[in-house]
Amino acid sequence: MISDTIVEPRHLDIERASIAAAAETMRQQIDHALSASVPKAPSSLYDPVRYILAAGGKRVRPVLTGLAAKAAGAGPNTSWISAAVAVELLHTFTLIHDDIMDKAESRRGKPTVHIAFGNDAAILSGDVMIALALESLSRHSEQSHELLEEFSLGFKRVCEGQAFDKEFETRHDISMDDYHQMILLKTSSIFELAATLGAYAAGGRIVEPLRQFARHTGLAFQMLDDLLDLTADLAAFGKTIGGDILEGKRTFLYVEAMGQYSKMTSGNRTLMDRIAAHEATLADVPLARDLFDNLGVLQTTRVMIQKETELAQSALQKVPNPRDRAALVAFSEYLLGRNI
Amino acid sequence: MISDTIVEPRHLDIERASIAAAAETMRQQIDHALSASVPKAPSSLYDPVRYILAAGGKRVRPVLTGLAAKAAGAGPNTSWISAAVAVELLHTFTLIHDDIMDKAESRRGKPTVHIAFGNDAAILSGDVMIALALESLSRHSEQSHELLEEFSLGFKRVCEGQAFDKEFETRHDISMDDYHQMILLKTSSIFELAATLGAYAAGGRIVEPLRQFARHTGLAFQMLDDLLDLTADLAAFGKTIGGDILEGKRTFLYVEAMGQYSKMTSGNRTLMDRIAAHEATLADVPLARDLFDNLGVLQTTRVMIQKETELAQSALQKVPNPRDRAALVAFSEYLLGRNI
């Protein structure tokens, strides 16, 4: 009926706006709790922590903790906040230490912690963020055993993913299975941690469906990040375009293109060899983009992102409340709908 | 009676030997469980962990966990082992990261981890040891909340102590209160963690007396370490004699001597100024030792170590079983009886 077709989109728009407003409220609650979680002294230890937390960030993972907690039945209070803070502190710790290893000089438009405060402070301040994460986690008096198990597993897997990523950079035999395994560890783990801690903070219902949602969302998120490295608008992306090419990163695009090495022209093989050997220059970036486009790699990446997004959303069937389910779908659309 | 005076020492010797044998059994159980706690792959991540664990170490802190667990009523099984492993992994992580910050080149007679494997591997392998510690801790299914609270507190305090220690190195106004606060954080925290995790692993009895024992033992241990830096026999100490003098460390001896600065000769003031400014050379080490001896600082340090040892032992009155109490006294004597 005409009235329905007019009313429904308007109703959806209102629901969408209300979901977005709820997520924004969560983000503000998280920011407030994050600030409150950092002690004053010693300032040499905690100033770098305040510095990186103040640099912003979309708080994607702790918002997922909040949404997962609501989906698992958390009441209107903020019982999930301490778990969400633990997740963001752990994630931010990995940024500080990864930036040292990657010799990255800026993040979120500001000098990285080790550039601003020195390597020693960056190491120790990163370390203490794990302790602050655990302190925040220990504010939950229920389900402590499960929270600790999930945290230790997620943390271990993130470290393993980072180690594999570094190992892969000097290897020439990375298969799609290797890549998949690596990003499950490096990227999906912390999404899974965010979702499962939220579920346990709310009492421990529907942990596995939420873990599946987070896992596939994480996989899609990483592949989108790989894609945007070559296709994004510089201002919107906030990183150097082609950075992965210059660093010889074994991304989804690289591994997929390497699978077609045997049918490439000798010029394109030389280009791939330069990337593999970390010898690519800025002039190679548009060449790589054109090659990947011509090989169908960019399109394959888009299809895979779409596939993982659908797998993520289909894991949400076990979420009892349709509004909670809609909020998680909106979260994945927000995260994965960026310019693909 | 004659028969008693003959029998009693023999009885004590037998008990002492039996206590030492039990501690040695614990140490072997800990070593075995430590090895089993480290995964195989990725090898770039876990080889450095295996390397530092294989370099030895007296396992002082995890043995304390075992002794505390027994004192708190643990049965003859090894229910405390996972907590003990968590403590040793956390302690060893601090060694790896501290060695990077201190630019230390050798430890336990082998190249430090960052020298052997590079800074990046040392950072990441240190990080994952915390995750392995948490994984080990999560093997306890009871008292998880208390175990997590103690672990996060101890870990945070160790980081804060390290930060204060580094801050103090460039400050000239360190009081004895500052020093005391710093070593409570830097050294006692992990002894306290060792004891309280043991107590909670055994069900949570006599946590506070064991914490007090550990705190004072840790304070005495750090002051003894400060003293041995100047007075130890090189071979027995295993570190450079006078290293603290060369690095301008604000040790107990330094702070105590600085308290008598106004009554020093101008030559001795210049010596203290050189130490404070990190400008002392090897030739200054015997001068500093003689000065500290003449000022009575060495003797004051010995008295303070003795005092903290007595405070530690007097905290053991609440330990119900005399044999468990004797084992903890033997532990502190083993630890603190070194050549003072």
Side-chain angles (χ1 to χ4, degrees):
Chain A
M1 287 175 292
I2 290 170
S3 62
D4 266 338
T5 58
I6 292 171
V7 168
E8 208 187 349
R10 194 177 295 165
H11 171 71
L12 275 177
D13 280 352
I14 292 169
E15 176 164 293
R16 201 164 289 208
S18 143
I19 284 172
E24 175 57 21
T25 302
M26 277 184 178
R27 210 188 52 68
Q28 288 169 11
Q29 290 170 322
I30 290 160
D31 268 341
H32 183 77
L34 268 173
S35 298
S37 74
V38 187
K40 287 263 181 302
S43 57
S44 66
L45 183 65
Y46 292 122
D47 282 354
V49 177
R50 266 185 290 276
Y51 172 86
I52 192 167
L53 290 176
K58 296 180 291 297
R59 315 300 186 212
V60 164
R61 295 158 193 79
V63 165
L64 175 55
T65 302
L67 295 173
K70 294 279 182 202
N77 58 30
T78 55
S79 59
W80 50 270
I81 282 267
S82 298
V85 165
V87 168
E88 185 68 5
L89 289 170
L90 184 73
H91 168 62
T92 312
F93 136 77
T94 67
L95 300 182
I96 297 179
H97 281 195
D98 287 1
D99 281 344
I100 302 174
M101 296 176 222
D102 294 342
K103 298 182 179 53
E105 296 192 349
S106 75
R107 172 174 293 280
R108 297 169 182 166
K110 289 170 68 177
T112 48
V113 171
H114 65 103
I115 295 290
F117 296 90
N119 265 23
D120 292 354
I123 293 172
L124 192 60
S125 297
D127 292 342
V128 84
M129 291 186 83
I130 309 167
L132 296 180
L134 292 168
E135 187 178 52
S136 189
L137 199 63
S138 78
R139 298 215 170 87
H140 296 278
S141 52
E142 308 278 319
Q143 308 267 354
S144 295
H145 185 234
E146 289 79 4
L147 291 169
L148 177 57
E149 273 187 330
E150 291 294 341
F151 190 94
S152 66
L153 181 70
F155 179 13
K156 186 174 91 163
R157 287 164 59 96
V158 167
C159 293
E160 291 180 348
Q162 170 72 2
F164 276 124
D165 197 16
K166 289 278 156 197
E167 284 188 14
F168 286 5
E169 282 180 14
T170 52
R171 277 177 52 191
H172 293 261
D173 58 344
I174 304 304
S175 69
M176 196 47 91
D177 274 356
D178 292 330
Y179 170 83
H180 193 259
Q181 190 56 34
M182 185 270 286
I183 67 168
L184 266 179
L185 292 169
K186 186 184 159 84
T187 310
S188 284
S189 301
I190 199 144
F191 279 85
E192 291 181 43
L193 179 62
T196 56
L197 290 190
Y200 280 118
R205 282 172 292 273
I206 57 167
V207 172
E208 292 314 316
L210 289 167
R211 190 196 306 278
Q212 290 303 319
F213 169 77
R215 175 174 300 170
H216 293 292
T217 301
L219 291 174
F221 181 76
Q222 183 59 57
M223 289 189 285
L224 176 61
D225 205 60
D226 290 358
L227 180 68
L228 290 177
D229 182 67
L230 269 187
T231 63
D233 176 63
L234 178 59
F237 194 45
K239 299 191 222 177
T240 312
I241 298 299
D244 290 345
I245 298 288
L246 300 175
E247 289 171 37
K249 283 261 182 196
R250 277 44 172 163
T251 65
F252 183 89
L253 287 69
Y254 169 90
V255 176
E256 184 70 17
M258 269 298 185
Q260 303 182 49
Y261 189 85
S262 61
K263 64 179 195 190
M264 287 179 195
T265 63
S266 75
N268 284 334
R269 287 188 193 180
T270 312
L271 171 61
M272 291 305 294
D273 292 345
R274 277 202 301 280
I275 298 171
H278 308 253
E279 290 165 358
T281 62
L282 266 178
D284 289 322
V285 172
L287 300 178
R289 186 169 47 213
D290 288 348
L291 172 61
F292 292 177
D293 198 6
N294 293 334
L295 292 172
V297 168
L298 301 186
Q299 187 51 26
T300 305
T301 313
R302 289 187 190 100
V303 169
M304 287 300 297
I305 293 167
Q306 190 56 37
K307 190 185 137 206
E308 292 297 340
T309 306
E310 283 163 16
L311 283 170
Q313 295 185 359
S314 75
L316 296 176
Q317 285 163 4
K318 295 264 174 65
V319 173
N321 183 325
R323 196 189 138 88
D324 296 332
R325 198 159 57 230
L328 285 160
V329 168
F331 170 84
S332 79
E333 284 175 355
Y334 161 75
L335 205 62
L336 304 170
R338 300 179 291 166
N339 323 314
I340 65 166
Chain B
M1 288 173 292
I2 291 172
S3 62
D4 266 337
T5 56
I6 293 171
V7 168
E8 208 185 346
R10 196 177 293 166
H11 170 72
L12 275 177
D13 280 353
I14 292 169
E15 177 164 293
R16 201 165 288 209
S18 144
I19 284 173
E24 175 57 22
T25 302
M26 278 185 176
R27 209 189 52 70
Q28 288 170 12
Q29 290 170 323
I30 291 161
D31 268 342
H32 183 78
L34 268 172
S35 298
S37 74
V38 187
K40 286 264 181 302
S43 58
S44 65
L45 183 65
Y46 292 122
D47 281 355
V49 177
R50 265 184 291 276
Y51 171 85
I52 192 167
L53 290 177
K58 297 181 292 294
R59 313 301 185 211
V60 164
R61 294 158 193 80
V63 165
L64 175 56
T65 302
L67 295 173
K70 294 280 182 200
N77 58 31
T78 56
S79 59
W80 49 270
I81 283 266
S82 297
V85 164
V87 168
E88 186 68 5
L89 289 170
L90 184 73
H91 168 62
T92 312
F93 135 77
T94 67
L95 300 182
I96 297 180
H97 281 196
D98 287 1
D99 281 343
I100 302 174
M101 296 176 223
D102 294 341
K103 298 182 177 52
E105 296 193 350
S106 75
R107 174 175 291 280
R108 296 170 183 165
K110 289 170 69 177
T112 48
V113 171
H114 65 102
I115 295 291
F117 296 91
N119 265 23
D120 292 354
I123 293 172
L124 192 59
S125 297
D127 293 342
V128 83
M129 290 185 83
I130 309 166
L132 296 180
L134 292 168
E135 188 178 52
S136 190
L137 199 64
S138 78
R139 297 215 171 87
H140 296 278
S141 52
E142 309 277 321
Q143 308 267 353
S144 296
H145 185 235
E146 290 78 6
L147 291 169
L148 177 57
E149 273 186 331
E150 291 294 340
F151 190 93
S152 66
L153 181 70
F155 179 12
K156 185 175 90 162
R157 288 165 59 96
V158 167
C159 294
E160 291 179 348
Q162 170 72 1
F164 276 124
D165 196 16
K166 289 277 159 199
E167 282 188 13
F168 286 5
E169 281 179 15
T170 52
R171 276 177 52 191
H172 294 261
D173 57 345
I174 304 304
S175 68
M176 196 48 89
D177 274 355
D178 292 330
Y179 170 83
H180 193 257
Q181 190 57 33
M182 186 270 285
I183 67 169
L184 265 179
L185 293 168
K186 185 182 159 86
T187 310
S188 284
S189 304
I190 198 143
F191 279 85
E192 290 181 43
L193 179 61
T196 56
L197 290 190
Y200 280 118
R205 281 173 293 275
I206 57 167
V207 173
E208 292 314 317
L210 289 167
R211 189 196 306 279
Q212 291 303 319
F213 170 77
R215 175 174 300 170
H216 293 291
T217 301
L219 291 173
F221 182 77
Q222 183 58 57
M223 289 189 285
L224 176 60
D225 205 60
D226 290 359
L227 181 67
L228 290 177
D229 182 68
L230 268 188
T231 63
D233 175 65
L234 179 58
F237 194 45
K239 298 192 220 176
T240 313
I241 298 298
D244 291 344
I245 298 288
L246 300 175
E247 289 171 37
K249 284 263 182 195
R250 276 46 172 161
T251 65
F252 183 88
L253 287 67
Y254 169 90
V255 176
E256 184 69 18
M258 269 299 187
Q260 303 183 50
Y261 189 85
S262 62
K263 64 179 194 190
M264 287 179 197
T265 64
S266 76
N268 285 334
R269 287 188 192 180
T270 313
L271 171 61
M272 291 305 295
D273 293 344
R274 278 202 300 280
I275 298 172
H278 308 254
E279 289 166 358
T281 63
L282 267 178
D284 289 323
V285 172
L287 300 178
R289 187 170 44 212
D290 288 348
L291 173 61
F292 293 177
D293 199 6
N294 292 336
L295 292 172
V297 167
L298 301 186
Q299 188 51 27
T300 305
T301 314
R302 290 187 190 100
V303 169
M304 287 301 295
I305 293 166
Q306 190 56 36
K307 190 186 138 206
E308 292 297 340
T309 307
E310 283 163 17
L311 283 170
Q313 294 185 359
S314 74
L316 296 177
Q317 286 164 4
K318 296 264 174 64
V319 173
N321 184 324
R323 196 190 138 88
D324 296 332
R325 198 159 56 230
L328 285 159
V329 169
F331 170 84
S332 79
E333 284 174 355
Y334 161 75
L335 206 62
L336 304 170
R338 299 180 291 166
N339 322 315
I340 65 167

